[in-house]
């Protein structure tokens, strides 16, 4: 026969595990409804300076390097954000302000009807003449091309931005 103290101890352990499960479920639902903690964006890093005279001269650069020098990433002829794929394909958002919030929350600039997007999923911010995308702690992540956004990342016009099942692009 099992001592009564062992049975009481097992009941307490099971009760603690059940309450832990309930607490984890509440935290998960809260995170889905209100979003995760928002991190402040890191200050922009200054562009790297060429270390040799050959890199500094556009005439001696390869065609690909010249294109990069002539068209910096995130150059701001972009005037609209276009949903190119997903439940809201064809939606256009004018980029008049300095920031566009993206998510399922009603207070977002671009409110997505996408179950794979978080409430406050990402933010697109103008920094000077370029646009920068920032993930706001989303569950499924934000991607520029095939690269996951882990810190604020510059976005060029025409680059695909994936938020859940929705694909966006900056366009002139």
């Amino acid at each position: 026969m099992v001592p009564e103290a062992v049975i009481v101890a097992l009941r307490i352990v099971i009760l603690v595990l059940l309450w832990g499960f309930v607490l984890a479920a509440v935290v998960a639902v809260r995170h889905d409804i209100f979003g995760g903690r928002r991190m402040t964006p890191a200050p922009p890093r200054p562009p790297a300076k060429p270390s040799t005279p050959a890199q500094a001269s556009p005439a001696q650069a390869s065609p690909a390097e010249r294109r990069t020098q002539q068209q910096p990433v995130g150059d701001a002829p972009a005037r609209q954000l276009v949903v190119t794929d997903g439940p809201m394909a064809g939606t256009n958002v004018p980029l008049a302000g300095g920031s566009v919030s993206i998510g399922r929350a009603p207070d977002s600039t671009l409110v997505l009807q996408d179950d794979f997007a978080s409430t406050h999923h990402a933010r697109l911010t103008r920094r000077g003449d370029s646009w920068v995308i920032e993930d706001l702690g989303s569950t499924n992540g934000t991607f520029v091309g095939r690269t996951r956004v882990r810190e604020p990342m510059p976005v060029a016009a025409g680059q695909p931005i994936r938020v859940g099942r929705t694909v966006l692009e900056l366009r002139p």
Side-chain angles (χ1 to χ4, degrees):
M1 183 157 190
V2 179
E4 189 174 332
V6 172
I7 294 174
V8 169
L10 284 173
R11 285 182 177 175
I12 291 172
V13 168
I14 290 172
L15 185 64
V16 168
L17 289 173
L18 284 173
W19 275 108
F21 174 74
V22 168
L23 182 62
V26 168
V27 168
V29 168
R30 182 191 175 283
H31 183 271
D32 192 41
I33 292 173
F34 299 109
R37 284 187 271 179
R38 293 186 184 186
M39 295 186 223
T40 57
R45 294 179 186 166
K49 295 182 181 176
S51 59
T52 64
Q55 291 174 333
S57 171
Q60 295 175 345
S62 70
E65 289 171 339
R66 274 182 272 167
R67 277 193 304 271
T68 304
Q69 290 171 355
Q70 293 168 355
Q71 301 170 356
V73 173
D75 201 8
R79 292 194 175 93
Q80 61 184 338
L81 180 64
V82 179
V83 179
T84 59
D85 193 15
M88 300 177 60
T91 303
N92 294 329
V93 176
L95 297 174
S99 179
V100 175
S101 58
I102 303 166
R104 291 185 327 197
D107 63 338
S108 296
T109 309
L110 176 58
V111 180
L112 297 178
Q113 299 167 353
D114 184 343
D115 293 335
F116 291 89
S118 295
T119 308
H120 297 281
H121 197 102
R123 180 182 310 125
L124 192 62
T125 308
R126 179 179 286 191
R127 290 195 183 160
D129 287 340
S130 63
W131 288 94
V132 176
I133 189 81
E134 172 186 9
D135 186 84
L136 300 176
S138 65
T139 305
N140 295 321
T142 303
F143 295 83
V144 175
R146 293 184 178 204
T147 305
R148 187 170 185 152
V149 176
R150 300 198 185 278
E151 59 185 31
M153 177 184 289
V155 181
Q159 269 187 310
I161 303 167
R162 187 165 51 89
V163 173
R165 289 187 175 166
T166 304
V167 179
L168 316 162
E169 280 184 14
L170 293 171
R171 297 228 177 124

